[in-house]
Amino acid sequence: MPKHLRYYALLFQSLFILPMAEANEWDWVPRESLSESQQATLGQYCRGAYVDSWQVVDGDNTHLLADLIYRDEQGTLYMEGAATLRQPLSELDADTIKGVPGDYYQAQGNVALRSKGQVIRSDNAYISTAEGNQSAQFDNARFLTHDSRLRGEAGQIARNKEGLIFIKEGFYTTCEPGEESWQLYGSSIELDTDSGFGTAKHVQIRVHDVPIFYFPWLRFPLDQRRQTGFLFPSFGFSGKQLTLSTPYYLNLAPNYDATITPNLVIPIVSEDSNDKDDSGQGFDIELRHLGQYGKTQFEQSTFYDNHGNEGTLRKFTSDQQLTQSFGIGAYLEDNPTENVEPDVNNTSIQEEDNYERRGYARYNLGNFSSNVQVRRFQTPDPTEDKPLEWLPRLSASYRYADTRYSYRPDVEFTDFYEPDKEGSDGKRMVLNQDINVSTGNAWGQATAGVLHQYRDYSLHNYDTKQDKDTSVNHLSYYLDTSVVFDRRFNTDWRQTLEPRVNYLYAPYEDQSDIPDFDANEMEMTYGQAFSHRRFSGNDRIGDTEQVALGLESRLYNGNNINRWTFQGGQVFYLRDRKVDIDGETGNIVDSSHHSPVLTTAAYNGDNFTLANHFNYDFDEDRVDLAQTALKYTPDSGFVFNLSFSYLHDDNEDDMTKQSSFGTIIPINENWHFFHQQSYDWIDREQTAQVEGFGYENCCVKTSFSYQRWRDNDGQFDEGVFLQLILRSLSGVGRTNSDIDTIADDYWNQGKVGY
């Protein structure tokens, strides 16, 4: 009897070059004919799936089926007319099959060789089963792997006794039958299943049969094993220059690797151009290591312009969890080229005024957490103020809470250093303790508490060259109460009504001798009205005696989902405030008797969300704050974003009045149009503009957009951006890292598994 064909099942496990054929030839099932579970695995734009109905045969027997089967005197087996040779791991079908068991099989006419999840069809096939010389050859072949959706055609496929697979004049694609969005073609392709990679000569990437890339030689992976070699390039184009980046990946070891990306900028303006950086070259480096305890990564981007000027940025990050409770890490940024940044940068490093350098260790156990950090900065521009540094900062906190009592202590020590040697620095010890007791039930709750804030400073003043010690020991008292009313209406809907009253007493404490290291004034909103602290950070303890009144209502649907939330409140001050962020304390800095009226309204729908914050000052007859954010995303693929932000400030230069609008509009099943614009109503200018088109199907996605934006220096820049992804192959193009755009929203919303 013939030998098993299990040798040739190995052939198809590595065929990543698959055929072009009619849908009914490849077990193709339209989406509407698939089960619900099968449809759930499809991408949004996929119209069906390959369903493999072939089953492995139990046992070790070989089954022969044909209109005529006979054996001649020399032992040659002949099968004629709908011949089938079925083995446990594979099945060979053809019009005729002949061969010598244990030596070879030759099939002609409508040849099909199947194994689990794979099929190949050809006009003729020769399969050697001789011991030590298992090889095969298929002429005019068409082949498919069901799970990967890879299919293609080849003039000839051959496999030698070492297991190498050779393909002549072949191509593959992941596109659905009848859809030819992209193909990868090679005149000669070799697949090495042992090493897990393939090589091809005279490679073309074709989009709708039009060659868009050509490679004399290409090396590519056959499985999930990482392979050293070139990744697909990215490019950018503007009115002045063409940018090309060609990353090269190095698989150095199972737990570390590297990527080196040469960058080239080619000018397309006249040689008389005054742009000194209109051309140049550079490279990016990324090194990654995955160890027993965590990850470590190093990045560097270096670029030389056409005058030889260098711009370099570097970053090192490491986070190691040494035990379940204890971990250490480092974050180091560096600009060694005196405030010159690379013109082309494909790393995660961004241009900044100050580059952070910190090391840290943490210990967490249950409700206890602690952290120690050293933080310093590099400021390449000598005209910029250098931030305060921590040498070091130690912090610890504990949380205890049950149904009635809560205790939350926080301890922090910081040694501040002022690199500019202007003003003050020094050491600060902080102790915050929040102790409260609560009582309540389903319809209401009351919480009484004490907030203890202690500060101790040892300061040095560089201007007066004097040292000084000072401290603050402060107690604040608060009482929070709320009542919840609940009613049902329209059968399914439920509404709550929750009046809130908060009393806070924080007596005045002189803090004129205390500098401002990290204090900030909090923006007044409905939530901040019920806070027990006026300032963030630990350098200012706000004085106040106030009563905050609020009313909150929520609407729940029949599924108990919170759809609407309405909040309104106001703070009434019983005494003037004497503590501000800067300067001496003691003088009245705020004598208003009440805050603006603070309101919020929010809707949370299945595909529609709306959030509004609105503060109105009736005494000044003005709007202090108005913020609106709306997002509408129905299942049709339509996206509508609208936002507006207004923040009043007595200094007109610090006022905010901006709006943003963005939309993605489906043109048909595959095409989308997207538009975005942002406007500054104070400067009366458009700060960002994006227009573009996107196309997507099951095997390709692309977007093309024009973008204009204001950079970090306040200057306007513009460009054309192209992104293209060929599914299961790679992507080319360049995005705009300077702004968040609606183009990025379009790119990320497709459910196709890229």
Side-chain angles (χ1 to χ4, degrees), residues 391-407:
L391 306 176
R393 166 170 287 185
L394 299 88
S395 60
S397 63
Y398 179 75
R399 296 292 181 263
Y400 170 80
D402 59 20
T403 56
R404 176 160 296 190
Y405 301 102
S406 173
Y407 176 53

Side-chain angles (χ1 to χ4, degrees), residues 64-71 77-84 95-97:
L64 305 179
L65 180 65
D67 295 340
L68 177 63
I69 302 176
Y70 64 94
R71 189 192 301 260
L77 177 69
Y78 294 88
M79 303 171 61
E80 300 179 359
T84 297
D95 292 341
T96 63
I97 300 175

Side-chain angles (χ1 to χ4, degrees), residues 453-704:
Q453 300 176 85
Y454 173 76
R455 313 285 186 265
D456 184 78
Y457 293 84
S458 295
L459 303 172
H460 175 74
N461 190 297
Y462 288 97
D463 300 331
T464 62
K465 295 182 173 52
Q466 293 182 347
D467 296 325
K468 178 172 58 178
D469 295 336
T470 186
S471 63
V472 178
N473 194 25
H474 188 274
L475 291 175
S476 300
Y477 310 91
Y478 60 87
L479 176 65
D480 292 331
T481 62
S482 62
V483 180
V484 180
F485 300 97
D486 193 306
R487 75 180 181 109
R488 291 190 175 275
F489 64 98
N490 291 343
T491 307
D492 293 332
W493 285 85
R494 180 169 64 90
Q495 180 185 15
T496 64
L497 193 65
E498 183 179 349
R500 298 182 62 182
V501 179
N502 169 271
Y503 171 76
L504 173 63
Y505 175 55
Y508 167 74
E509 184 91 18
D510 180 57
Q511 299 165 55
S512 301
D513 294 336
I514 295 177
D516 173 21
F517 290 142
D518 59 13
N520 287 290
E521 191 167 3
M522 297 185 185
E523 184 177 292
M524 181 57 71
T525 62
Y526 179 85
Q528 174 59 26
F530 298 91
S531 173
H532 306 141
R533 300 177 62 177
R534 282 179 52 206
F535 305 105
S536 64
N538 286 309
D539 285 317
R540 280 292 184 268
I541 300 174
D543 64 316
T544 187
E545 184 175 7
Q546 65 186 47
V547 175
L549 303 180
L551 184 63
E552 184 172 328
S553 180
R554 299 178 183 270
L555 293 176
Y556 298 84
N557 65 9
N559 296 322
N560 203 35
I561 298 176
N562 180 204
R563 291 302 194 192
W564 282 98
T565 300
F566 300 96
Q567 297 171 326
Q570 193 170 20
V571 180
F572 296 88
Y573 300 105
L574 307 182
R575 62 176 62 191
D576 297 335
R577 274 74 64 209
K578 300 180 180 180
V579 177
D580 204 352
I581 292 291
D582 300 319
E584 295 184 356
T585 63
N587 297 321
I588 295 174
V589 296
D590 190 346
S591 61
S592 58
H593 299 296
H594 50 75
S595 72
V597 176
L598 314 170
T599 67
T600 66
Y603 174 76
N604 178 34
D606 294 331
N607 49 36
F608 178 82
T609 59
L610 175 66
N612 292 282
H613 301 276
F614 186 81
N615 297 351
Y616 192 82
D617 190 331
F618 283 93
D619 291 342
E620 299 292 336
D621 192 23
R622 73 179 182 216
V623 175
D624 272 10
L625 179 146
Q627 295 175 336
T628 297
L630 178 152
K631 186 166 187 177
Y632 178 52
T633 55
D635 294 337
S636 63
F638 177 80
V639 174
F640 181 88
N641 294 331
L642 180 65
S643 65
F644 176 79
S645 180
Y646 171 80
L647 184 62
H648 174 80
D649 196 286
D650 292 333
N651 184 352
E652 187 172 340
D653 293 336
D654 295 331
M655 289 184 64
T656 300
K657 191 176 182 181
Q658 298 175 340
S659 63
S660 179
F661 163 75
T663 184
I664 302 173
I665 302 175
I667 301 174
N668 57 30
E669 182 181 358
N670 303 103
W671 281 94
H672 292 75
F673 168 78
F674 47 84
H675 169 79
Q676 175 181 326
Q677 61 183 43
S678 300
Y679 192 80
D680 190 316
W681 294 89
I682 295 178
D683 294 337
R684 297 188 179 277
E685 65 179 5
Q686 190 167 265
T687 57
Q689 177 185 354
V690 177
E691 281 95 19
F693 290 91
Y695 174 84
E696 182 172 5
N697 61 27
C698 194
C699 66
V700 67
K701 183 167 187 175
T702 184
S703 70
F704 180 81

Side-chain angles (χ1 to χ4, degrees), residues 426-444:
K427 300 176 177 63
R428 182 187 71 188
M429 173 65 75
V430 173
L431 172 62
N432 294 321
Q433 300 181 88
D434 193 341
I435 310 169
N436 62 60
V437 56
S438 299
T439 182
N441 51 34
W443 55 265

